[in-house]
Amino acid sequence: MNDDACMEICQSPDTFEDKLVCICHELELALKWHRPSFLFAIYDTDSFRQFAQDSLEALIDQSNQKVVHYQVDSERQIELFKFINDLAENKSDVFFIQSSNTIENNIQTTNLISMLNSCRGFLVDNLVRVVFWLTENEALKVAHLAPDFWASRHRVFEFIDVQTANYATIINRGDLNPKVAEDQSVSAALSLSDADMQVESPLVIDFSEDEPTFSGINLLLMLGVANWKEGQQEKAIEPLQAALALAQKSGNKSHQVLCHKAIALVHSESGKTDEAIQAYQQVIDIGPESITIWNNLGQLYLKATKYDEALQAFKNAIKLNPNDPISWNGLGNIYSGIGNLDEAINCYRKAIQFNAGYISPWIQLADVLAKQARFDDALYAYMRIVEMDKKNVHAWSEIGSIYFKARSFEQSVGAYKKALILGDSSPDIHKNLAYAHTQSGDYAEATAHLLKAIEMENDENEKAALSNMLGDVYRRIGDYDNAVAAYEAADSHASIISESDKPLSTQAEDLHDVSPDDKEEFQEQASATSSVALDENHGMQVMVDSENVQQIFPVSQPLESLGNKQISAETTELENVQANLENANLLIRLANIYIKVGAVDKAVGALEKAVVLDPANGKIYYQLGILFSQKNELPKAILFYKSSADLLPNEIDKANALNLTGDLYRKLKDFSNALGAYEAAVGLDPDNETIINNLGKIQEDLDQLIAGGVIETKDQPVSEKSFFEKSPDNAAVSVVATPISSGNVGEVDPSIKIDLSNPDVWNELGNIYAKSKAYEEAVEAYQKAISLNPEFGWSYSNLALVYTFQGKHDEAIGLLEKSVGLQWTDKDKAVVWNRLGDLLRKVGQYPKAIVAYQNADKLNQYKISINNLHEIDIQLLFSHFIS
Amino acid sequence: MSNFDYIRAADFDRAWLNFELDLPLEPGKDGKPNPFYIRRPGDPIGELNDALLAPFYKAPKFFFSGHRGCGKSTELLHLMGNPNIRKNYWPVNFSIRDEADIIDLDFRDILLAIGGRMFREYRRQGGVLPARLLKDLDGFRGRVEEEITTVKAGRVADTEIGAGLDAFFANASLKIKLEPKTRSIIRQVIERDVTGLIDVINAISAAVKLKEGRLPLILIDDLDKPNLQEAKAIFQERREIMMQPTCAIVYTVSSALFYSKDFDSIRDRALFLPNVKLHTHNFPDQYTREGYETMQRFVSLRMDPGLIEDQALIEAITYSGGVFREMARIMRTAIGRARRRKGAQVESVDVEWAATEIRNEYRRILDKEDLDILKKIHEKNRLEYNDRIRPLLQLLALLEYRNGENWCDIHPVLRKLLYE
């Protein structure tokens, strides 16, 4: 043979079948001559390894030899040689040894490899015939850690050959996620051409329908997968069915299983989930049961949203191997899918327990924990992910987000940059970097990233928001020219949206020339400028502290300063509002108005409606507890407190609810339950002196009772407070509910009327109307507030915002100018100047806008957040971008 | 392997067997060399042979080194079979693998292995040691067993001391090899009385010499397997103790240790077994006839020359780089392929196939930096022994030759890899 021919042959690798046949020959010769055989099979994916093992095992079975599988794990590793020695009696056994690919087992694998170096003679003496299934990394380790053993290798076979292997890789891969198939590397690896099919191969030579052979079946399988790769699913099924027919004819169950698997895969990828499920059922019918099949079935059922079946499939897999991490991960995905996040977390943790190196459950776990706002735990999980996979962009990005939320902006920037370097090419990463840089005061970097984000962003809406933010950043550094240019760009993007997306609806808010951002802003600002007792953001993690919120949103005249007036007036207006409200948060706000004026029954009515709309909100139950306590309906109050203790997210609040429960039990002279409630409260908040004192007192009471004394509880105060007096994250909003003591419980007149001569009430009502987009009613309410108190600056400002939405820009400008003069503090004035600047900008009066902004910035000497860069906006934008 | 028939293969199946990588070439009982044994160019082992047979004042200790796969084990076995050696020495050849854990090896393990193996081998051959020595040894056993109950060989009667000691040494060896915890305790016991163990070895040695009229010669194979650090701890830090036994000993040592600076002082007691040189320094195309003939003989003793084309044989030899194990590997792989394609002879294409397979194996374990180093070395054939080169020598990616000046070249299968 000439050199060219040699080169040609040596450049074309063995076919998959060649390799299997070659391994068989090696093993047969070793058996014949009573010699050991150390073969290394190097693989790149578990699925292909599985396929190669199955195929090889089928061949070995045909020659009446037995394959003994040995998986290296932490428990059995030490006993490997004893294990081999025990079985070495049967010289026809062939050992397949592999590791289970976990972090721990990687260590065990390393240990095993080191041991192999010293125990090579042991294997030789026992004439062991073994195939070591090694990952590429493990093969490298063998060469370097066990050079003697490496030198003793008889043959090395690579099972990563793309031409012959990829159909099997796909057939056998455990993950049916379509993304895998879409992955370019896999697609590229599937480049089976017609020429490939024509290469002289044992497949072609042996193929005959009359005489089914392993190679013939494989050829048909390969053809099927090649067709499938080209998107010809129907054409793919035909050869696969033919392969199946051949396999059935041959009676070889391994081949039948392989064919069914391939068919299942093609069906799965072509969206025929039911057919894929059916094919996998066939595999299960042929048996033996396999964890992989159950896992695949579970995934298919999950895809078909057949949660019960999916659950059963994964449970079957777990039954076969309770330590299978893939099954636990699948189970976790089901629970996550149906919203049972706690159970999902348990499953992911199980998956991790059994394979700490399996990254998928770590990612799911981290995401679920982040979703639950358990940021510390989520951060830990993300950190583990980047330990395992330093290039995991998602994890780095999430780490950045968590640090951002924790206000660790430098670390946040570091993590985001890592994600950026690693290839996160989305505009979001630049946005997030811009936010983080802004917060850490690095405006130059923030500007650069904003410019990049604007360049990359396709959504005009986003472009407008980003340009707006860019303008704000320029303002921060006093670059008003660029700021105006950015604002102009923002307005230009906004106008594109309004032009292109203008709905045909005649609803008032849609007819105005305002961007959605402005609406959002209005809603946030309007709500913040009001006094509310209940937190509207109970469902989201509010990161800003009370001081910041105070800075951002000037609170209107505190209502509690008005005293607990017994107001008498018609409430029809509010009742109408209530009837039309379908938002729990707004109902809570409405209840607060009622509470402020002592209209307890009406507050209860609003809150009861809120409970129906948001039954998982513990704070509503808590407030209801307070109200029923006020109404002296103590058993009801206890029930609500208990519910709130169950539903409230943090332990301090739970303790508070339980403490109040204890107070009420005590009032009812149910000392035993009171003791239980106080004990539970102390358990949750062991440093709370009030609760400790209460616990001490109830114990004294009990002692007194046991001693035959009489307990006087009439004058014992009930330690009730509005929930928000305690809750630090809600301290920003003023406390409205009157602190209740046992002395005033029951003193409230249920038929109490609201005094609509209180301008605060009207201002608050205006906010509720505005937020529910009832702008006309809002205008009336604000006007009423102004008429009652012409010096009420915030009502002018809020009315201006509503006018803005109504397109009455001139009126709005006048109102804001008026409002500025009525504000008492520089901070408040700065906020109004800022609003005025925004409005002037909106109407294209840029020079005036600059002056307004400059006034705002001048007054805002502490650089508090008054514009679009303020904290809450960032939180909102942030949440939006990262969600 | 004592029942292995060293017969020349007339077909591929048998040829496959004869090119087994781990085929030990034990000498014949009559002292004749193994049928597959071939003399190397320059007869380097003759040097060690002569050194052992030279008159000595203190029992000689030699260090025997060579690169992996160059035939050290074969040469030790051959040395043991040499009639002159057998006439002057009572030889014991064993692999340290059988007696200790080579990934955690200590000088105490080796000393215990020397004593234990000498004792057991002498008794296995029917030798009878003096009762007093047995009593002394039993005392040593008692001291060890006091601390390590797990190595107890069981209660024995006085008349069975010898058997009890057999069991004790075998048991201690097994524990040292397989049980890290017990190994540690045994080492502590020995540490407290290293001299006592040396005395035991020397007593056994003296008793054997007295009975047999020949000094025991201990040939310890595979001592080149521990890493350099462990090897230095044994042969440099504890060199004096390792020299104290009064029997003759040939320790195998790794090429890394052989070339370390600290080894300079005892290099005169060391012999390095070179690879067979196939071309001259700096001239890869100038084949060395002697080398090719040696490798050709290696093949022809194991396989009918008619089973391989002449050109294919030359190519196989070239690809072997003059390393016997690599020659066996290439032949075996090529034979396997020729057999599968039902060929009558091994052809160039089969050899090329084998070379490609080996090349692919290296492709997996060598990184870019390795390849850069190999490229430089291939261009100049200059050996600069350092930490970066050591693993390459260990993996046989780099092969060392000696003719006058030491020089080296890359494994011939890698040439294509370097210039891809």
Side-chain angles (χ1 to χ4, degrees):
Chain A
M1 183 166 289
N2 61 36
D3 287 349
D4 290 343
C6 283
M7 283 302 289
E8 192 183 322
I9 282 176
C10 295
Q11 281 168 358
S12 57
D14 270 329
T15 64
F16 178 71
E17 285 71 25
D18 281 341
K19 288 173 187 173
L20 297 184
V21 169
C22 197
I23 292 176
C24 280
H25 284 172
E26 285 287 322
L27 293 169
E28 280 169 13
L29 284 167
L31 181 66
K32 176 180 175 182
W33 294 113
H34 305 292
R35 297 300 303 150
S37 184
F38 307 150
L39 307 177
F40 291 172
I42 299 172
Y43 64 92
D44 56 348
T45 64
D46 280 338
S47 52
F48 187 45
R49 190 252 311 139
Q50 186 65 51
F51 173 71
Q53 282 187 349
D54 288 349
S55 307
L56 183 58
E57 191 167 351
L59 278 181
I60 292 171
D61 280 348
Q62 285 171 6
S63 57
N64 295 322
Q65 299 175 73
K66 196 175 97 190
V67 170
V68 179
H69 289 266
Y70 188 87
Q71 184 151 317
V72 178
D73 57 42
S74 53
E75 289 167 14
R76 294 175 65 187
Q77 180 255 323
I78 299 302
E79 298 176 25
L80 170 67
F81 296 104
K82 182 176 177 297
F83 173 77
I84 293 172
N85 200 27
D86 290 346
L87 293 171
E89 293 298 315
N90 189 348
K91 304 294 183 200
S92 65
D93 287 349
V94 175
F95 292 91
F96 280 6
I97 297 180
Q98 69 185 79
S99 76
S100 59
N101 282 333
T102 65
I103 285 180
E104 288 85 354
N105 285 338
N106 280 340
I107 295 164
Q108 293 299 346
T109 307
T110 304
N111 290 341
L112 171 72
I113 289 167
S114 301
M115 280 180 71
L116 285 175
N117 213 37
S118 60
C119 298
R120 185 185 65 101
F122 185 87
L123 297 172
V124 173
D125 292 346
N126 284 285
L127 306 179
V128 170
R129 293 178 307 137
V130 58
V131 183
F132 289 95
W133 297 86
L134 303 170
T135 62
E136 291 166 282
N137 191 34
E138 287 165 353
L140 197 66
K141 279 185 182 172
V142 170
H144 289 281
L145 298 178
D148 284 329
F149 194 73
W150 177 255
S152 302
R153 72 200 184 278
H154 288 109
R155 298 289 296 273
V156 179
F157 300 92
E158 294 183 346
F159 288 101
I160 52 172
D161 178 69
V162 291
Q163 285 192 317
T164 55
N166 284 289
Y167 69 100
T169 306
I170 293 163
I171 291 168
N172 275 298
R173 68 162 183 257
D175 183 5
L176 284 175
N177 185 346
K179 281 182 184 172
V180 178
E182 287 162 14
D183 186 275
Q184 282 192 340
S185 60
V186 175
S187 301
L190 278 168
S191 55
L192 286 165
S193 64
D194 291 344
D196 295 329
M197 297 300 174
Q198 287 160 9
V199 169
E200 186 179 328
S201 146
L203 292 172
V204 179
I205 297 164
D206 293 350
F207 178 58
S208 159
E209 285 207 23
D210 296 330
E211 191 183 338
T213 64
F214 172 71
S215 298
I217 294 163
N218 271 285
L219 176 62
L220 288 164
L221 274 168
M222 195 186 289
L223 279 170
V225 175
N227 286 331
W228 167 67
K229 182 217 76 173
E230 288 168 4
Q232 299 176 340
Q233 271 84 356
E234 293 303 326
K235 213 174 161 187
I237 287 294
E238 202 178 317
L240 293 178
Q241 296 284 13
L244 176 62
L246 277 178
Q248 284 167 337
K249 196 171 178 181
S250 73
N252 186 309
K253 287 187 177 177
S254 300
H255 295 157
Q256 289 174 39
V257 165
L258 202 59
C259 294
H260 281 303
K261 281 181 182 177
I263 291 166
L265 180 81
V266 174
H267 281 316
S268 168
E269 295 291 341
S270 54
K272 294 180 178 174
T273 308
D274 290 341
E275 286 87 341
I277 288 171
Q278 207 176 349
Y280 276 129
Q281 288 289 5
Q282 293 283 335
V283 176
I284 286 168
D285 290 346
I286 294 170
E289 280 187 291
S290 140
I291 293 173
T292 311
I293 300 305
W294 280 122
N295 283 338
N296 283 354
L297 258 177
Q299 290 204 37
L300 287 168
Y301 281 130
L302 192 60
K303 197 173 164 188
T305 63
K306 294 178 177 175
Y307 292 119
D308 288 343
E309 289 88 341
L311 201 69
Q312 195 52 51
F314 285 123
K315 281 185 174 173
N316 286 343
I318 288 167
K319 206 169 163 187
L320 286 175
N321 179 7
N323 302 343
D324 183 51
I326 294 170
S327 314
W328 282 108
N329 187 49
L331 211 52
N333 289 339
I334 295 173
Y335 284 123
S336 177
I338 60 176
N340 188 346
L341 299 188
D342 288 338
E343 203 51 50
I345 287 171
N346 288 339
C347 292
Y348 293 136
R349 285 190 169 148
K350 279 269 188 193
I352 289 163
Q353 179 191 334
F354 298 124
N355 186 347
Y358 180 23
I359 203 164
S360 180
W362 276 111
I363 293 172
Q364 309 289 355
L365 176 68
D367 289 347
V368 170
L369 288 168
K371 204 186 273 183
Q372 288 195 326
R374 292 163 64 180
F375 296 114
D376 284 346
D377 293 340
L379 183 63
Y380 172 76
Y382 285 124
M383 287 296 195
R384 287 297 303 264
I385 293 164
V386 296
E387 264 176 36
M388 285 182 270
D389 175 13
K390 289 186 174 56
K391 295 181 178 176
N392 194 307
V393 174
H394 171 73
W396 280 116
S397 181
E398 291 300 315
I399 289 169
S401 302
I402 292 174
Y403 276 130
F404 187 96
K405 287 177 190 187
R407 307 182 64 79
S408 300
F409 300 116
E410 280 185 23
Q411 283 165 301
S412 174
V413 165
Y416 284 139
K417 278 191 174 169
K418 195 91 182 170
L420 183 68
I421 291 164
L422 290 172
D424 188 338
S425 55
S426 68
D428 288 355
I429 193 72
H430 290 287
K431 292 174 198 171
N432 289 339
L433 271 165
Y435 302 143
H437 280 304
T438 303
Q439 288 300 306
S440 56
D442 190 347
Y443 299 120
E445 281 286 330
T447 307
H449 284 291
L450 279 170
L451 287 167
K452 188 73 187 169
I454 292 166
E455 180 193 323
M456 295 170 76
E457 186 58 69
N458 292 321
D459 186 323
E460 290 297 328
N461 198 357
E462 297 292 349
K463 274 181 187 279
L466 291 167
S467 301
N468 218 28
M469 186 176 165
L470 180 64
D472 292 338
V473 173
Y474 279 131
R475 268 181 64 197
R476 285 282 178 93
I477 52 177
D479 185 352
Y480 289 97
D481 291 340
N482 271 325
V484 166
Y487 288 141
E488 279 180 320
D491 297 344
S492 158
H493 292 303
S495 70
I496 292 171
I497 304 159
S498 60
E499 287 302 315
S500 58
D501 300 339
K502 190 180 272 183
L504 295 174
S505 159
T506 54
Q507 287 179 22
E509 65 270 29
D510 293 333
L511 295 172
H512 304 311
D513 181 22
V514 286
S515 72
D517 286 340
D518 294 323
K519 291 179 189 174
E520 279 289 314
E521 186 189 359
F522 167 77
Q523 288 178 3
E524 291 305 320
Q525 291 194 5
S527 63
T529 54
S530 66
S531 308
V532 289
L534 288 177
D535 173 30
E536 297 171 51
N537 297 316
H538 67 276
M540 64 181 280
Q541 184 78 1
V542 180
M543 301 297 294
V544 284
D545 56 30
S546 56
E547 191 185 348
N548 279 335
V549 175
Q550 291 280 3
Q551 288 171 343
I552 298 159
F553 302 119
V555 178
S556 63
Q557 188 182 0
L559 287 187
E560 57 265 42
S561 66
L562 300 173
N564 188 22
K565 289 182 185 172
Q566 301 297 300
I567 307 162
S568 169
E570 290 298 322
T571 58
T572 320
E573 187 98 26
L574 290 174
E575 282 162 3
N576 288 340
V577 171
Q578 182 180 329
N580 294 322
L581 287 180
E582 290 301 330
N583 178 308
N585 288 331
L586 294 180
L587 283 162
I588 292 166
R589 290 168 61 94
L590 184 62
N592 284 323
I593 297 176
Y594 286 127
I595 292 168
K596 277 191 289 186
V597 296
V600 176
D601 283 342
K602 291 183 178 16
V604 167
L607 288 173
E608 281 177 342
K609 190 173 176 189
V611 163
V612 174
L613 293 167
D614 189 2
N617 186 342
K619 294 173 187 176
I620 306 175
Y621 294 90
Y622 184 96
Q623 203 68 17
L624 278 165
I626 291 177
L627 294 177
F628 280 108
S629 178
Q630 283 182 333
K631 284 158 64 73
N632 212 20
E633 294 182 32
L634 302 189
K636 261 192 174 180
I638 287 171
L639 281 176
F640 280 115
Y641 281 141
K642 280 185 168 178
S643 298
S644 73
D646 289 341
L647 292 167
L648 285 168
N650 77 61
E651 297 197 337
I652 303 289
D653 295 337
K654 282 173 187 282
N656 192 30
L658 287 166
N659 183 44
L660 292 174
T661 310
D663 286 351
L664 296 184
Y665 274 129
R666 186 151 175 256
K667 200 169 163 59
L668 291 169
K669 297 190 179 178
D670 182 349
F671 301 114
S672 170
N673 274 323
L675 178 67
Y678 287 137
E679 281 177 344
V682 167
L684 290 165
D685 188 4
D687 299 327
N688 188 320
E689 285 183 9
T690 308
I691 303 174
I692 293 167
N693 285 340
N694 285 341
L695 184 62
K697 281 177 189 166
I698 197 72
Q699 278 165 342
E700 282 172 19
D701 290 346
L702 281 167
D703 291 344
Q704 200 180 334
L705 194 68
I706 291 163
V710 177
I711 300 164
E712 183 56 60
T713 59
K714 197 167 69 181
D715 297 323
Q716 294 290 336
V718 176
S719 44
E720 285 177 359
K721 285 179 182 176
S722 166
F723 180 83
F724 303 97
E725 282 185 290
K726 285 282 299 168
S727 179
D729 60 342
N730 295 300
V733 288
S734 62
V735 176
V736 174
T738 310
I740 298 166
S741 69
S742 57
N744 62 17
V745 169
E747 288 176 8
V748 177
D749 177 3
S751 63
I752 204 157
K753 304 288 182 185
I754 293 176
D755 178 6
L756 293 181
S757 64
N758 182 340
D760 268 309
V761 170
W762 285 103
N763 185 58
E764 189 70 20
L765 188 60
N767 289 346
I768 295 171
Y769 277 131
K771 213 165 181 189
S772 58
K773 298 180 184 175
Y775 295 127
E776 294 299 337
E777 290 83 353
V779 167
E780 280 181 30
Y782 290 134
Q783 283 173 339
K784 189 78 179 170
I786 290 167
S787 71
L788 289 168
N789 179 7
E791 304 295 310
F792 193 177
W794 285 115
S795 290
Y796 290 98
S797 182
N798 290 341
L799 180 58
L801 282 173
V802 174
Y803 277 152
T804 305
F805 286 111
Q806 290 183 319
K808 298 174 183 173
H809 295 135
D810 291 343
E811 290 91 329
I813 289 168
L815 286 167
L816 285 171
E817 284 168 349
K818 175 89 177 167
S819 176
V820 168
L822 294 171
Q823 299 298 341
W824 287 27
T825 68
D826 285 352
K827 279 192 288 183
D828 293 349
K829 285 179 182 176
V831 170
V832 180
W833 275 120
N834 197 58
R835 284 187 181 183
L836 184 57
D838 287 344
L839 184 53
L840 290 167
R841 223 186 89 200
K842 199 174 295 296
V843 296
Q845 295 183 27
Y846 289 103
K848 281 189 178 177
I850 289 177
V851 173
Y853 285 141
Q854 283 173 332
N855 285 337
D857 294 344
K858 211 181 293 171
L859 290 165
N860 183 21
Q861 57 180 314
Y862 301 107
K863 294 291 177 193
I864 54 166
S865 304
I866 55 170
N867 51 29
N868 287 339
L869 288 176
H870 58 59
E871 308 273 353
I872 199 74
D873 276 352
I874 285 183
Q875 289 301 325
L876 290 170
L877 283 167
F878 185 80
S879 308
H880 170 67
F881 286 132
I882 66 166
S883 61
Chain B
M1 290 300 296
S2 54
N3 56 353
F4 189 89
D5 294 324
Y6 295 93
I7 52 174
R8 191 161 78 169
D11 58 46
F12 285 149
D13 270 18
R14 178 78 206 194
W16 180 91
L17 172 65
N18 285 354
F19 286 104
E20 161 68 47
L21 305 185
D22 285 303
L23 199 61
L25 303 189
E26 289 172 1
K29 283 180 183 170
D30 51 2
K32 281 187 180 174
N34 184 286
F36 288 174
Y37 179 79
I38 48 160
R39 293 179 74 87
R40 292 158 178 268
D43 190 21
I45 197 68
E47 202 180 314
L48 178 59
N49 195 60
D50 292 346
L52 282 168
L53 293 176
F56 56 84
Y57 171 70
K58 274 187 173 180
K61 310 285 183 301
F62 288 104
F63 299 92
F64 186 44
S65 187
H67 292 301
R68 187 165 278 123
C70 71
K72 290 188 293 295
S73 301
T74 297
E75 293 298 352
L76 283 181
L77 286 169
H78 181 69
L79 185 70
M80 199 175 88
N82 183 317
N84 286 331
I85 291 290
R86 296 188 82 87
K87 189 177 167 188
N88 288 281
Y89 290 102
W90 181 77
V92 175
N93 179 15
F94 68 91
S95 165
I96 195 66
R97 291 173 193 280
D98 300 333
E99 303 292 323
D101 179 358
I102 61 159
I103 57 171
D104 177 21
L105 192 66
D106 181 274
F107 76 100
R108 290 161 289 193
D109 304 344
I110 300 172
L111 291 177
L112 190 64
I114 291 171
R117 194 66 188 235
M118 196 158 50
F119 179 86
R120 281 183 284 149
E121 193 61 31
Y122 189 66
R123 282 182 51 83
R124 189 183 67 79
Q125 290 182 16
V128 179
L129 290 166
R132 181 166 178 172
L133 172 62
L134 292 178
K135 286 252 177 193
D136 287 347
L137 290 177
D138 202 39
F140 170 77
R141 180 185 76 165
R143 291 198 295 279
V144 175
E145 285 182 351
E146 264 176 29
E147 309 224 13
I148 314 154
T149 53
T150 55
V151 297
K152 277 187 180 173
R155 187 178 290 276
V156 290
D158 287 349
T159 52
E160 294 173 327
I161 287 175
L165 283 168
D166 274 345
F168 164 75
F169 279 119
N171 219 1
S173 159
L174 199 66
K175 298 286 178 187
I176 275 194
K177 186 176 165 186
L178 297 176
E179 292 181 9
K181 200 174 167 186
T182 313
R183 181 189 309 151
S184 170
I185 300 170
I186 292 175
R187 284 177 187 169
Q188 284 171 26
V189 174
I190 295 172
E191 182 69 48
R192 287 201 291 272
D193 189 13
V194 177
T195 320
L197 179 59
I198 297 287
D199 289 346
V200 165
I201 294 168
N202 290 345
I204 298 169
S205 173
V208 171
K209 190 182 178 194
L210 190 68
K211 290 266 182 179
E212 299 294 323
R214 295 177 288 163
L215 185 69
L217 167 63
I218 313 297
L219 306 165
I220 313 177
D221 201 1
D222 292 323
L223 274 173
D224 55 334
K225 302 303 186 287
N227 63 44
L228 182 59
Q229 201 180 347
E230 277 185 348
K232 279 185 175 177
I234 295 165
F235 293 112
Q236 283 169 6
E237 292 169 23
R238 300 292 182 155
R239 186 185 301 151
E240 284 190 11
I241 291 174
M242 301 307 285
M243 296 297 188
Q244 278 184 16
T246 52
C247 51
I249 304 174
V250 175
Y251 295 111
T252 45
V253 291
S254 66
S255 52
L257 181 68
F258 185 88
Y259 283 114
S260 68
K261 279 191 177 176
D262 298 331
F263 203 75
D264 286 348
S265 60
I266 51 169
R267 191 152 293 127
D268 60 331
R269 293 164 185 261
L271 175 80
F272 196 91
L273 191 64
N275 293 320
V276 175
K277 183 160 56 78
L278 295 178
H279 66 84
T280 50
H281 184 196
N282 276 336
F283 295 99
D285 297 329
Q286 287 185 9
Y287 292 176
T288 307
R289 184 181 181 133
E290 194 181 25
Y292 271 80
E293 283 178 351
T294 303
M295 302 308 281
Q296 205 167 358
R297 208 158 53 245
F298 172 85
V299 173
S300 62
L301 286 176
R302 297 176 187 230
M303 184 181 88
D304 186 331
L307 288 173
I308 184 167
E309 281 184 351
D310 291 347
Q311 181 59 28
L313 178 58
I314 289 169
E315 286 163 4
I317 292 170
T318 303
Y319 278 131
S320 77
V323 180
F324 289 114
R325 181 180 279 165
E326 292 304 289
M327 185 72 204
R329 187 189 308 284
I330 289 164
M331 286 304 296
R332 194 174 158 115
T333 306
I335 287 165
R337 180 171 157 76
R339 179 179 175 272
R340 282 204 320 281
R341 66 172 178 78
K342 298 183 171 55
Q345 283 186 307
V346 173
E347 296 175 5
S348 290
V349 66
D350 303 314
V351 172
E352 197 63 42
W353 187 271
T356 302
E357 189 171 295
I358 296 169
R359 187 178 308 121
N360 286 340
E361 292 162 18
Y362 279 107
R363 196 189 304 274
R364 193 163 290 291
I365 59 174
L366 298 174
D367 60 23
K368 191 183 172 302
E369 202 180 333
D370 292 332
L371 294 176
D372 289 343
I373 291 169
L374 290 174
K375 207 169 189 175
K376 278 184 193 167
I377 289 173
H378 179 54
E379 282 161 6
K380 298 192 175 174
N381 283 179
R382 187 180 297 157
L383 179 70
E384 291 170 8
Y385 211 86
N386 59 42
D387 286 347
R388 197 68 187 82
I389 282 179
R390 191 170 296 127
L392 296 174
L393 281 164
Q394 206 169 31
L395 292 168
L396 297 185
L398 202 56
L399 305 175
E400 187 194 356
Y401 303 94
R402 300 177 147 217
N403 53 337
E405 184 190 0
N406 293 355
W407 58 279
C408 63
D409 201 352
I410 59 168
H411 194 306
V413 299
L414 297 177
R415 285 176 195 158
K416 280 180 187 164
L417 186 61
L418 294 189
Y419 299 100
E420 272 180 350

